[in-house]
Amino acid sequence: MHSAVFLIEFGAIILGLGLLGRFAARFSFSPIPLYLLAGLAFGNGGLLPLGASEEFVAIGAEIGVILLLLMLGLEYTASDLVSNLKTQYPAGLVDFALNALPGAVAALLLGWGPVAAVVLAGVTWISSSGVIAKVLGDLGRLGNRETPVILSILVLEDLAMAVYLPIITALLAGVGLAAGSVTLAIALGVAGLVLFLALRYGRLISRFVSSDDPEKLLLVVLGLTLLVAGVAQQLQVSAAVGAFLVGIALSGEVAEGAHTLLSPLRDLFAAVFFVFFGLHTDPASIPPVILPALALAIVTALTKTATGYWAARRAGIGVKGRWRAGGTLVARGEFSIVIAGLAVSAGIQPQMGPFATAYVLVLVVIGPLTARFTEPVAAHLARRRSTPTPPAAGDGAVLAESAADLPKTGSDDVEAGSGASGRA
């Protein structure tokens, strides 16, 4: 009986996701907000709470995040990663300053104390790699010139989590400096080792994984990814970072073949992840904290947009690409919920859970919209500002004479002047 209920529930979830995806595709927008709202409707306190399939959905959600990051890693080689990190680390510092500080200040203003301030700083700092990876794929922007800048910031944030999570865990547990330092050293060592192996032995790893049989290639790549992700998480390093570095280590035909085989699985489990996020949010807990969460969401949406714009400008990307980079980085998600969950489990601040949930829900719904519409909205506003005011009576001849002396430049000249080439 339990098996029948499980099949009915999980089958209904998958069917519903397919219908929502088709609806979103018909109107040309990301289905992520619809997946989240569906999770809210059928989660704790929702219209029809699910029970039998909850554990399986939780596992599927974790696999979804891992596959999203693996597919991101397959887009770049280890040398690309190191080069991007060397050139984009100032953007990482700007990202931290602009987006962690608002969270810390908000926690202090709410009277939650310094430890909660460190926790909320992490919640507002880290963008959702899972959501952004899905949005980039949905919008067909993986080949855009601004995408390496976006991914560099995401990678810097994910690698920073290897340092931040052990620190916050030690703070919440109240352990001594020595124990916290050991945990941090292990985390950094594991992340560095995996990156070193990807750089030094990436070709050997690709040769070991390579197979002409799609079935064997799929099993080996998926098994290796889950194994490394699990070991990384066991050693206090993010499973997402482990999966990303596995993707970095694979190159050539192996990466192309794995990308083709894993894309359908990624889409399936990524959708399950977003539903799971909504399933574990009680709608009744959101209204009491929605106003401060909404205010913080607006502030940090602007600071993330500024971060992406600045980083893309620094990389020589055109104006359109700068706005796209800024709008794409707005979404928060899995890491923010994990960080808040640690604080709730430690009993630091009871309101942290609902507050972080409301905050992330706002930005995870707004994020795909800002990714799509920030650049056209900015272009529209720029055109309105550049529209000349109608000349007063009697001034027409003077204006015409002045206009004749001006050089004829168009929007393409402005874009070229930014130093960008190819796609903006």
Side-chain angles (χ1 to χ4, degrees):
M1 183 63 182
H2 183 274
S3 174
V5 174
F6 164 75
L7 291 174
I8 292 171
E9 287 187 358
F10 194 66
I13 291 173
I14 300 301
L15 176 61
L17 292 177
L19 295 176
L20 290 174
R22 291 175 63 178
F23 177 82
R26 183 170 184 176
F27 293 95
S28 301
F29 68 91
S30 173
I32 292 173
L34 298 182
Y35 295 159
L36 287 165
L37 294 175
L40 275 177
F42 297 100
N44 299 327
L47 300 175
L48 184 62
L50 303 178
S53 59
E54 183 175 349
E55 184 176 352
F56 186 84
V57 171
I59 297 172
E62 192 166 354
I63 293 174
V65 175
I66 289 171
L67 289 179
L68 283 169
L69 270 296
L70 169 67
M71 300 296 277
L72 274 182
L74 290 173
E75 297 290 333
Y76 296 93
T77 65
S79 59
D80 291 334
L81 173 65
V82 173
S83 175
N84 285 333
L85 292 180
K86 286 181 178 179
T87 57
Q88 292 299 329
Y89 76 89
L93 298 176
V94 171
D95 180 31
F96 171 77
L98 290 181
N99 298 288
L101 290 179
V105 171
L108 294 175
L109 291 176
L110 290 169
W112 290 354
V115 175
V118 176
V119 173
L120 196 57
V123 171
T124 59
W125 172 21
I126 305 299
S127 296
S128 172
S129 299
V131 174
I132 292 171
K134 185 72 169 65
V135 168
L136 288 172
D138 290 342
L139 298 179
R141 293 181 181 175
L142 288 175
N144 279 25
R145 292 193 66 239
E146 75 273 5
T147 299
V149 176
I150 296 170
L151 296 183
S152 296
I153 293 175
L154 294 177
V155 171
L156 286 168
E157 290 180 349
D158 288 345
L159 293 177
M161 286 295 96
V163 179
Y164 176 82
L165 286 177
I167 292 175
I168 198 66
T169 302
L171 283 175
L172 294 172
V175 301
L177 179 62
S181 299
V182 170
T183 303
L184 177 60
I186 293 174
L188 292 177
V190 171
L193 176 62
V194 174
L195 183 57
F196 171 78
L197 292 175
L199 281 168
R200 189 72 178 269
Y201 303 106
R203 292 184 179 179
L204 293 177
I205 296 172
S206 296
R207 192 179 306 168
F208 168 76
V209 172
S210 179
S211 174
D212 294 331
D213 188 336
E215 177 185 349
K216 295 183 177 64
L217 178 62
L218 174 63
L219 292 174
V220 172
V221 172
L222 184 59
L224 178 64
T225 302
L226 294 175
L227 176 64
V228 173
V231 171
Q233 187 161 315
Q234 187 70 24
L235 295 174
Q236 305 299 319
V237 181
S238 165
V241 172
F244 182 85
L245 293 176
V246 170
I248 290 291
L250 302 179
S251 59
E253 294 182 0
V254 173
E256 295 177 5
H259 192 282
T260 302
L261 293 171
L262 288 169
S263 291
L265 283 177
R266 174 202 60 188
D267 294 338
L268 169 62
F269 285 107
V272 172
F273 162 72
F274 298 118
V275 170
F276 174 75
F277 184 83
L279 286 175
H280 282 258
T281 302
D282 184 356
S285 67
I286 295 178
V289 295
I290 189 63
L291 289 180
L294 181 59
L296 185 60
I298 292 172
V299 170
T300 52
L302 295 174
T303 55
K304 273 292 182 182
T305 301
T307 299
Y309 187 96
W310 183 88
R313 180 181 180 181
R314 182 176 176 274
I317 308 300
V319 175
K320 293 180 180 179
R322 298 173 200 171
W323 285 115
R324 287 196 296 266
T328 303
L329 286 169
V330 166
R332 271 58 158 200
E334 57 275 9
F335 271 134
S336 298
I337 294 300
V338 168
I339 293 166
L342 292 173
V344 172
S345 300
I348 296 299
Q349 177 52 244
Q351 288 185 306
M352 178 70 73
F355 184 91
T357 299
Y359 170 81
V360 171
L361 273 175
V362 170
L363 288 181
V364 85
V365 171
I366 292 177
L369 301 178
T370 59
R372 182 177 179 83
F373 296 112
T374 297
E375 182 261 316
V377 169
H380 174 72
L381 294 176
R383 285 194 298 270
R384 289 192 61 180
R385 286 197 301 267
S386 62
T387 301
T389 57
D395 292 340
V398 176
L399 289 175
E401 183 179 351
S402 301
D405 296 331
L406 293 175
K408 295 182 179 180
T409 59
S411 59
D412 291 338
D413 298 319
V414 175
E415 194 71 20
S418 67
S421 60
R423 297 181 69 171

